[in-house]
Amino acid sequence: MSFLIQQTIIYAVPLMTVALAGVFAERSGIVNLALEGIMIFGAFTGVLFINIMQTVFSFPKENAMLLMLMTMLFSGICGFIFSFLLSFAAVRLKSNQTVSGTALNMLSAALVMFFINLIANQNVLSMAEGDASGWFMIRKSALGFDPRTDYGFLAETFFFKTYPASYICILLFILLSVMLYKTPFGLRLRACGENPHAADSLGISVPSMRYLGTGISGFLSGIGGFVFALTTANCSASGEVAGFGFLALAVMIFGNWTPLPIFGASLLFGVFKCVAAAYSTLDINGDGKFLLAELGISTNFYRILPYLITLIVLAFTSKKSRSPRAAGIPFDKSLR
């Protein structure tokens, strides 16, 4: 059970982080379909940053947690900068946001693959030294604990063999959710996505708020992309994030653009992603039997299960979902 919970957290955290990123953009009035592309860019820049710090600056393993924090911040900033392409096209050029987001997804994947081939002369960019679990995972031996001792369910599940990056993302999720719904800034941002002309009449700069909303969205997506690469791809970048950006969009819609339902939906999809990735070694009851592997169901079924569940859930819940009324509509002050 500990393994199932740990793996669910690993898959759920990038989803909830990027889904909240989509909320910030859409609550400001910008439809951010480029979440997938920004995740890809964030994953690449994060792995590249670690690679440079290891090779050029010989960053010591003893300060791995500091390196992880620096990389998360760097990936977030890169995501923030990349998202400016979307906000500029949507706010300044008043372009179709769906087309702009799709174009950025294609641009990001192509750009990242080009640079990976240029830098590494192969299709994957990895850490220069060691692996993700050795550097960035909390281990008993590294902290001076006896690896053979059982320290109880809570410690074994939520502390040992976990990535601090996951908990940092959860903390960010809580803080930014509070900011979105409990602060004047959040109220102004949401007003721009619901009724931008009313917000403009009160002296709120709708273009500025939309730039900020999309920027925060890019920042979170960049961090989410790096955390995905760190925890599920052994800190490597390959020009794709397994469709997590699009899954995050589904989580956002299923969660009705509100943080708490998004958190629950992320856990739901995280469970199915965990099952898809580790069904053959998943001991649900702790009795030493791998029930899912013994069922004899095709591997392909487990692989498509998360996406199949996404389609089913959206089919039954999308009618009840209500997006921000002005999302996707270019703001024209003269039409007030």
Side-chain angles (χ1 to χ4, degrees):
M1 184 58 71
S2 292
F3 176 77
L4 178 62
I5 294 174
Q6 286 177 338
Q7 292 299 305
T8 297
I9 291 173
I10 282 176
Y11 287 109
V13 164
L15 279 177
M16 62 188 285
T17 304
V18 180
L20 185 66
V23 170
F24 266 90
E26 297 210 11
R27 286 294 181 188
S28 72
I30 303 296
V31 175
N32 190 356
L33 289 184
L35 295 176
E36 176 92 357
I38 302 174
M39 281 189 74
I40 292 171
F41 194 68
F44 165 70
T45 53
V47 175
L48 178 63
F49 183 81
I50 290 175
N51 196 291
I52 291 173
M53 294 300 289
Q54 289 180 327
T55 54
V56 178
F57 298 99
S58 301
F59 205 91
K61 187 177 179 180
E62 293 74 20
N63 295 330
M65 292 302 114
L66 175 61
L67 177 60
M68 182 195 69
L69 290 172
M70 292 167 58
T71 308
M72 290 179 72
L73 180 61
F74 181 75
S75 295
I77 292 172
C78 290
F80 180 92
I81 294 170
F82 190 79
S83 68
F84 179 76
L85 296 173
L86 175 66
S87 54
F88 179 79
V91 177
R92 184 64 181 272
L93 303 180
K94 294 181 172 56
S95 65
N96 185 295
Q97 295 167 21
T98 301
V99 174
S100 299
T102 303
L104 289 179
N105 284 333
M106 294 188 291
L107 172 66
S108 175
L111 200 62
V112 165
M113 283 304 302
F114 170 76
F115 281 116
I116 288 176
N117 276 279
L118 190 66
I119 296 167
N121 199 28
Q122 57 185 10
N123 294 328
V124 179
L125 179 67
S126 304
M127 295 173 60
E129 177 186 340
D131 57 18
S133 61
W135 273 65
F136 304 110
M137 180 182 280
I138 300 175
R139 292 185 173 274
K140 294 178 184 179
S141 56
L143 298 176
F145 293 95
D146 184 359
R148 296 166 295 181
T149 303
D150 188 338
Y151 292 94
F153 176 77
L154 291 178
E156 295 290 338
T157 303
F158 297 103
F159 186 69
F160 298 120
K161 292 185 178 180
T162 61
Y163 291 93
S166 297
Y167 295 115
I168 293 172
C169 284
I170 293 174
L171 180 61
L172 269 177
F173 182 89
I174 294 171
L175 293 176
L176 290 175
S177 297
V178 171
M179 183 179 79
L180 184 60
Y181 283 93
K182 300 296 181 182
T183 65
F185 169 80
L187 179 61
R188 295 187 186 102
L189 187 78
R190 288 182 286 120
C192 292
E194 290 292 339
N195 196 330
H197 294 290
D200 181 67
S201 69
L202 295 174
I204 299 172
S205 174
V206 176
S208 297
M209 295 305 292
R210 290 188 170 182
Y211 274 116
L212 279 172
T214 310
I216 294 172
S217 177
F219 182 81
L220 285 173
S221 297
I223 291 177
F226 167 67
V227 172
F228 171 84
L230 174 69
T231 57
T232 68
N234 195 26
C235 201
S236 63
S238 59
E240 57 92 21
V241 288
F244 261 59
F246 297 113
L247 276 177
L249 281 171
V251 168
M252 178 187 70
I253 296 169
F254 179 42
N256 205 21
W257 290 265
T258 49
L260 193 58
I262 283 174
F263 178 78
S266 299
L267 291 177
L268 173 67
F269 287 108
V271 169
F272 286 108
K273 284 295 293 184
C274 173
V275 169
Y279 76 94
S280 61
T281 58
L282 198 57
D283 183 4
I284 299 174
N285 299 323
D287 56 2
K289 296 181 179 180
F290 306 127
L291 179 61
L292 295 179
E294 293 174 359
L295 291 176
I297 299 175
S298 171
T299 302
N300 294 325
F301 173 78
Y302 290 110
R303 288 176 178 172
I304 68 170
L305 189 60
Y307 307 99
L308 182 64
I309 295 298
T310 300
L311 291 174
I312 294 173
V313 167
L314 288 179
F316 283 99
T317 62
S318 58
K319 285 187 177 180
K320 297 181 181 179
S321 299
R322 191 189 72 82
S323 65
R325 283 183 291 182
I329 303 174
F331 174 66
D332 189 343
K333 192 170 185 176
S334 65
L335 297 178
R336 187 169 72 186

